[in-house]
Amino acid sequence: MNPHKLAFTRVLPASELPPNAKKPLSIEGKAILLCNVNGQLHAISNVCSHNDKPLERGRLGNGWIACPTHGARFDLATGNALCLPATKPIATYEVRVVEDWIEVLV
Amino acid sequence: MNTRTLIPGIKNASSEPAKGEQRCPGAPSTQDIVASDKVRAPGWVRSESYQFLGDQDISKDRYIDPAFARLEMDTLWKKTWQFACREEHIPEVGDYHVYDIGRFSFIVTRVAPTEIRAYYNACLHRGTKLRASGTEGNTDEFKCSFHGWSWKLDGSHQETVCHWDFPHVDPKDFSLPQARVERLGGFVFINMDLSAPTLAEYLGPEIKAHFDAWKLENRYIYLHVAKRLPCNWKLAIEAFMEAYHVIETHPQVAVSNGDANSQYDVYGEHVNRFISPLGVLSPHLYGKHTEEDILKQFTLGDSGALGGGERSLGKNGSARQVMADMFRGMFEKATNTDLSGVSDSELLDCYSYTVFPNTFLFPGISLPMVYRFRPDPSDHRKCLYEVLFMRPVPVDGSRPMPAEPIRLRDDQSFCEAAGMDAGFGAILDQDTDNLVLQQEGLEASAKPGITLGNYQEIRVRHFELAIEKYVKPKA
């Protein structure tokens, strides 16, 4: 087993991601978007599976994000596409808070 | 003031009551019940507006003929004000919500803090929907996913990809077509008819005053359940327009519901209502139950989710008063507000208003729903039913995000929707079971029409008269 695959990366003080905020990050070369929906944290790929556009300006809803370019929506927990024009999921990453820091498993 | 009106000149010579004048014998009226309450009801509750509108059968064709459904789509749906979304669905500039009715689809979007527009949801190039149906989001441009033509938030044409190939496309002529938009009580209404009356004119001054009194803009959607029903959309709507069916369909409710003595009113052409008093025994059951039974069997509706306390009648107490006091305490605690001035009737009773063609508003406190019904464009024997429960916004002024719709499969019970009060879900299941039998029965029947009661089913007739007005306009 590759131990790096199990290593969480400390990325941001939790206080810098208040409810309903987003934060684009690059972690190990991957474009990641951190989202806080009513206190629930999510880490997802920042790239829309439909057209490769960034999701970071997308609207956060109750458990979803909508790509601002063509309106594809994704489930923040599973990454599944919820509507056309996307049909493929986006990657999601495990996220946790340790000692008031947000950590992501990439 | 009692504003009850009857068409004059239809009384017969034998001094029998005029048609529509009969009320449930031996039972107090809804107004009698409300007048006995400890905390007085507001004026919009203490009024009546019944009108006899005829007693001819209604042709069953309008429920079973697909051609009638097509006619409705080409006439009434294009000319009526429809609830498209709530303002909290699109709180920020750039937020949008896609509303579909039949084959039509609209992007309802906030283009400025105080301005909302509704664009026909189709690219002006080759027609692709600019946003998928049933979705929401935020954007600063509407870009087609096919060839990339785009429009600014204000609807003006932004880009024709490879404009050199479209010298015949003048951007000035390629703004997104719009439907009309009006807002009332936190609801966003749209109308495809650019020459339609204003929403205030459509509702009429009396109902506009009711809306203003309710302050529904201070509520938010905390539960939203959607399910396809196995019947024509009008049958579904009509099933919720009367309490006449309670004793047979919902016997568990009748013990604490004044069903046969509910009040029915009509207002202009587009709005009707009933007031169905709760915490009182059904006149069908007089002599068969005690006040204790009424208290014990009271259906809690939404308030079940808030958790009820012990129910005790006390000395000389009435079930209605005990429930009103209990609800007042429960809702005061849950919403941290002072409800001492809110009437017992508003806390308890079921107020059901229909805004033609497809929206029900229940402005009461214990039963705070909105219903919306839409025809299934591919099957006139199916429709989409949505029930939205609304609660007061928190006292800290924050606006929770509206609940995501829970979309039930056809075979699921309403009770399976997370957050649905079990008693209320069971009632909706009972209604749904009737509707499939009614749709099939109308198709099987040798009788060409349906027969309606003059009072308890006046809302059905009033609704069908409005259908007729739009589908068969006078020459």
Side-chain angles (χ1 to χ4, degrees), chain B residues 232-246:
Chain B
N232 184 271
W233 69 281
K234 297 186 296 300
L235 290 182
I237 281 183
E238 291 167 9
F240 293 95
M241 282 183 156
E242 36 85 4
Y244 180 42
H245 69 287
V246 167

Side-chain angles (χ1 to χ4, degrees), chain B residues 178-323:
Chain B
Q178 298 178 40
R180 290 174 59 191
V181 174
E182 290 209 41
R183 296 180 283 167
L184 184 61
F187 294 88
V188 180
F189 287 87
I190 71 165
N191 193 326
M192 286 181 253
D193 182 2
L194 300 181
S195 59
T198 64
L199 181 61
E201 291 166 341
Y202 185 88
L203 298 173
E206 192 166 359
I207 290 302
K208 174 67 168 52
H210 291 200
F211 256 95
D212 293 343
W214 300 334
K215 300 198 183 311
L216 297 179
E217 61 272 24
N218 295 332
R219 298 192 191 183
Y220 74 99
I221 300 163
Y222 83 91
L223 178 63
H224 184 169
V225 180
K227 188 180 176 187
R228 205 164 67 138
L229 298 183
C231 64
N232 184 271
W233 69 281
K234 297 186 296 300
L235 290 182
I237 281 183
E238 291 167 9
F240 293 95
M241 282 183 156
E242 36 85 4
Y244 180 42
H245 69 287
V246 167
I247 189 68
E248 198 64 32
T249 299
H250 313 298
Q252 78 279 18
V253 173
V255 178
S256 59
N257 177 209
D259 50 359
N261 49 348
S262 294
Q263 176 180 314
Y264 297 85
D265 298 304
V266 298
Y267 301 90
E269 291 178 321
H270 302 119
V271 182
N272 55 52
R273 77 168 181 184
F274 72 50
I275 302 177
S276 199
L278 297 175
V280 294
L281 186 65
S282 162
H284 293 288
L285 302 175
Y286 282 175
K288 297 176 182 170
H289 291 277
T290 64
E291 283 290 306
E292 288 283 358
D293 295 336
I294 300 170
L295 189 61
K296 206 182 329 167
Q297 298 197 38
F298 196 101
T299 302
L300 279 169
D302 167 48
S303 52
L306 299 176
E310 283 296 310
R311 303 180 193 181
S312 166
L313 204 50
K315 196 179 175 187
N316 300 322
S318 73
R320 182 172 169 85
Q321 195 60 60
V322 169
M323 291 308 297

Side-chain angles (χ1 to χ4, degrees), chain B residues 58-64 232 235 238 435-451:
Chain B
I58 306 285
S59 167
K60 69 176 186 177
D61 289 347
R62 58 183 65 188
Y63 307 108
I64 65 175
N232 184 271
L235 290 182
E238 291 167 9
L435 287 168
V436 66
L437 293 171
Q438 189 185 14
Q439 180 72 41
E440 292 176 357
L442 284 172
E443 291 164 354
S445 176
K447 185 165 171 280
I450 62 168
T451 301

Side-chain angles (χ1 to χ4, degrees), chain A residues 20 57 59 62 64 68 70 73, chain B residues 89 137 139-140 143 402 404:
Chain A
N20 304 318
R57 288 188 51 257
R59 180 177 171 188
N62 269 325
W64 52 263
H70 298 111
R73 293 201 305 170
Chain B
H89 282 119
T139 193
D140 53 14
K143 188 172 197 175
E404 288 297 306

Side-chain angles (χ1 to χ4, degrees), chain A residues 7-90:
Chain A
F8 278 85
T9 304
R10 184 165 279 200
V11 294
L12 195 71
S15 59
E16 292 185 19
L17 192 73
N20 304 318
K22 302 177 295 256
K23 181 79 174 177
L25 298 165
S26 178
I27 307 173
E28 295 186 14
K30 292 180 179 169
I32 308 285
L33 186 64
L34 282 180
C35 307
N36 180 341
V37 181
N38 299 326
Q40 177 72 46
L41 299 185
H42 300 276
I44 61 172
S45 166
N46 192 15
V47 182
C48 178
S49 67
H50 160 245
N51 191 285
D52 294 340
K53 295 286 194 300
L55 290 169
E56 63 197 55
R57 288 188 51 257
R59 180 177 171 188
L60 285 178
N62 269 325
W64 52 263
I65 188 167
C67 178
T69 307
H70 298 111
R73 293 201 305 170
F74 299 94
D75 185 309
L76 289 167
T78 66
N80 288 338
L82 297 173
C83 71
L84 290 172
T87 54
K88 298 185 184 73
I90 56 171

